[in-house]
Amino acid sequence: MDMTYRSLDRELAADDPWRLDGNPFERERHAEMLRLSLTRGAIKNALEVGCAAGAFTEMLAPHCQRLTVVDVVPRAISRAKERTRRWSHMVWVVSDIQRFSAAESFDLIVVAEVLYYLADTVEMRAAIRNLVGMLAPEGLLVFGSARDANCRRWGHAAGAETVIAILKETLVEVGRVHCQGESVNEDCLLACFRNSIQPN
């Protein structure tokens, strides 16, 4: 994770890292993520995992009573925090998703373009278990990722199709969107899942 962390930190120094603001593909991806997130209207308590420079955070924030934002890279938190400074209902945490925990549960969890940075599917499963454990009954989890083929080409263990299959072991899939841009790298799946497990 060390090399990945350093690489992410370097990329976050750019004016528009990963062209999240300037690229029509990224704007479409974020619009679809927001649409899936708002399936049930306003959100009481949300968690965003991996905020990058805050492009999606800024879109999601006005729809949440409370929004917790977690990223492993302090520079990402700083940039997203600056971008969303007009809101006071946000909590910022620098943490690895495998170690992050919260006492409260979330009625929405958004995790996009994050899980493929983990070393292998064992770590992905552990991170997913951690996230599902924080998802409220009937809560929604919105997941997005580049597809398996691209992720493997980039040197990652797996991407969207693999993670979606793992999520479907414990959650119910209620929506899916395929976003594709002009480049071969601009090909991702977004999926929305519901936690159908009732509390004890």
Side-chain angles (χ1 to χ4, degrees):
M1 189 70 171
D2 246 9
M3 276 178 58
T4 300
Y5 174 92
R6 284 195 298 271
S7 170
L8 289 169
D9 189 62
R10 272 195 312 274
E11 291 176 56
L12 275 158
D15 283 346
D16 183 9
W18 305 288
R19 295 183 60 224
L20 296 176
D21 289 308
N23 185 344
F25 166 76
E26 296 295 352
R27 289 198 301 271
E28 180 202 353
R29 186 172 69 83
H30 285 157
E32 290 293 352
M33 282 166 53
L34 185 65
R35 187 183 62 76
L36 291 171
S37 298
L38 298 178
T39 304
R40 297 192 178 156
I43 301 146
K44 186 176 174 186
N45 193 21
L47 170 67
E48 182 189 12
V49 180
C51 60
F56 182 71
T57 315
E58 186 176 31
M59 293 173 72
L60 181 62
H63 303 281
C64 306
Q65 288 180 30
R66 178 180 162 95
L67 174 58
T68 300
V69 182
V70 177
D71 201 293
V72 72
V73 183
R75 190 192 299 256
I77 293 287
S78 296
R79 290 197 63 170
K81 202 174 190 177
E82 175 63 22
R83 187 167 181 157
T84 58
R85 65 183 180 277
R86 62 192 176 279
W87 291 296
S88 59
H89 65 295
M90 302 175 73
V91 176
W92 304 92
V93 182
V94 176
S95 177
D96 185 319
I97 190 50
Q98 294 165 284
R99 292 179 183 84
F100 173 74
S101 65
E104 79 269 36
S105 59
F106 300 96
D107 55 329
L108 172 70
I109 295 176
V110 179
V111 55
E113 307 299 331
V114 169
L115 295 179
Y116 55 66
Y117 287 112
L118 298 175
D120 52 35
T121 53
V122 172
E123 285 193 6
M124 289 176 181
R125 279 184 180 278
I128 289 165
R129 266 195 312 275
N130 188 32
L131 290 172
V132 170
M134 291 184 275
L135 188 61
E138 297 302 310
L140 297 179
L141 186 148
V142 174
F143 165 75
S145 172
R147 296 169 76 109
D148 277 350
N150 273 344
C151 286
R152 290 187 178 123
R153 191 164 47 78
W154 300 336
H156 301 301
E161 295 91 338
T162 298
V163 173
I164 287 171
I166 296 169
L167 285 163
K168 285 172 82 168
E169 291 171 9
T170 50
L171 302 175
V172 177
E173 185 176 347
V174 293
R176 189 182 295 198
V177 178
H178 177 207
C179 294
Q180 190 157 19
E182 294 177 6
S183 153
V184 68
N185 291 328
E186 296 174 340
D187 188 8
C188 79
L189 291 177
L190 305 175
C192 183
F193 298 87
R194 179 172 52 82
N195 185 7
S196 62
I197 297 169
Q198 297 298 314
N200 293 332

